[in-house]
Amino acid sequence: MVSDPEKLKPLLPQIFRNAESGMPLFAGYFGQHPLFAAQLKFYDESGENFYTYGDPQGRGWDDIRDTPLWVIPARLTIQIFPRQEAMIDLAEAAGSWQWSFADVLHWWSIVKFIIAVILIFLLGHFSPRLHGFNRTKE
């Protein structure tokens, strides 16, 4: 429990160093993970960045998680930096490829489909008569 946020601020580097040494998985997210790296930024009530953890290289995702901290009056932002920047371009392109049936199946496509189905049924119905076959009951 934090009673004085000002006393916590200078302790943050040591807290994160201890977390790195005690949890290799935690350290992997901020440096050694093969697919991505993360960066945490802490902001006080005035919006000033008072601590940054993680120093990834390259371009990061534009979608930055911004979360208020309930323990102290501060905000935390989390940004992901993929090791291959092409992943960002692919993700941005994937977002523009979203579609729905209304986009793909316009009304004219539906009308053409219905006409094709009707013609197939008519062809099946009249085909024996067109080829000289006639069904008669005996």
Side-chain angles (χ1 to χ4, degrees), residues 2-65:
V2 177
S3 60
D4 187 4
E6 294 304 317
K7 291 182 180 177
L8 175 68
K9 289 178 182 179
L11 298 175
L12 284 174
Q14 183 61 39
I15 291 170
F16 281 99
R17 275 195 301 276
N18 290 344
E20 278 183 13
S21 63
M23 297 182 289
L25 180 63
F26 177 82
Y29 284 121
F30 297 95
Q32 302 302 320
H33 198 277
L35 298 177
F36 63 89
Q39 183 179 56
L40 303 176
K41 289 186 178 183
F42 293 86
Y43 296 92
D44 60 14
E45 291 176 310
S46 67
E48 183 181 338
N49 179 1
F50 63 86
Y51 182 68
T52 300
Y53 178 72
D55 186 24
Q57 304 299 316
R59 187 169 59 136
W61 299 106
D62 290 337
D63 187 17
I64 299 172
R65 171 91 176 177

Side-chain angles (χ1 to χ4, degrees), residues 80-97:
I80 304 296
F81 293 79
R83 297 282 186 217
Q84 298 173 354
E85 289 187 18
M87 291 176 68
I88 294 175
D89 298 328
L90 289 172
E92 289 172 353
S96 66
W97 293 343

